Amino acid sequence: MKLSTPAALFATLYDGAPKIVAAGACTGLEPDALPLRLLRLVRHDGGYLLLPGDAGPEGEGTLRTLAIPPAAVRCLWSCDEAARHDAERLLGWWKEA
């Protein structure tokens, strides 16, 4: 699995702050609605991107590939049935890494 993130976000993935990763189009799940940092898992160029909860893929800038999963993720949320496969794939990579 290829998982990347914008270079500007990379360091915050490992800072210990509690996070939630949301896969799919989550309506009603807003970055300020939870006491967790919201990250969105989106498909991108044959792989996946982790983006800040308030950003879209058009603003990713320079990307860095993740070799290990982000720290302090408390929840992986599959927002719809179509995103379930993406969430399961991420969990599989997580176990391997």
Side-chain angles (χ1 to χ4, degrees):
M1 174 177 187
K2 179 183 172 189
L3 181 61
S4 303
T5 193
L9 180 66
F10 188 81
T12 65
L13 296 179
Y14 303 100
D15 65 3
K19 301 163 189 71
I20 180 173
V21 175
C26 299
T27 57
L29 187 58
E30 299 301 324
D32 296 332
L34 301 168
L36 304 168
R37 183 177 300 147
L38 176 62
L39 302 171
R40 297 197 184 273
L41 179 70
V42 296
R43 291 181 184 192
H44 176 75
D45 196 26
Y48 294 90
L49 283 177
L50 271 181
L51 297 172
D54 56 357
E58 66 281 348
E60 74 256 0
T62 303
L63 299 177
R64 292 193 59 188
T65 301
L66 278 68
I68 59 172
V73 173
R74 303 291 189 243
C75 178
L76 175 59
W77 188 273
S78 177
C79 298
D80 53 42
E81 192 59 36
R84 183 177 178 172
H85 174 74
D86 295 335
E88 289 173 346
R89 194 156 178 224
L90 179 64
L91 283 175
W93 173 76
W94 216 298
K95 289 177 185 177
E96 289 177 19

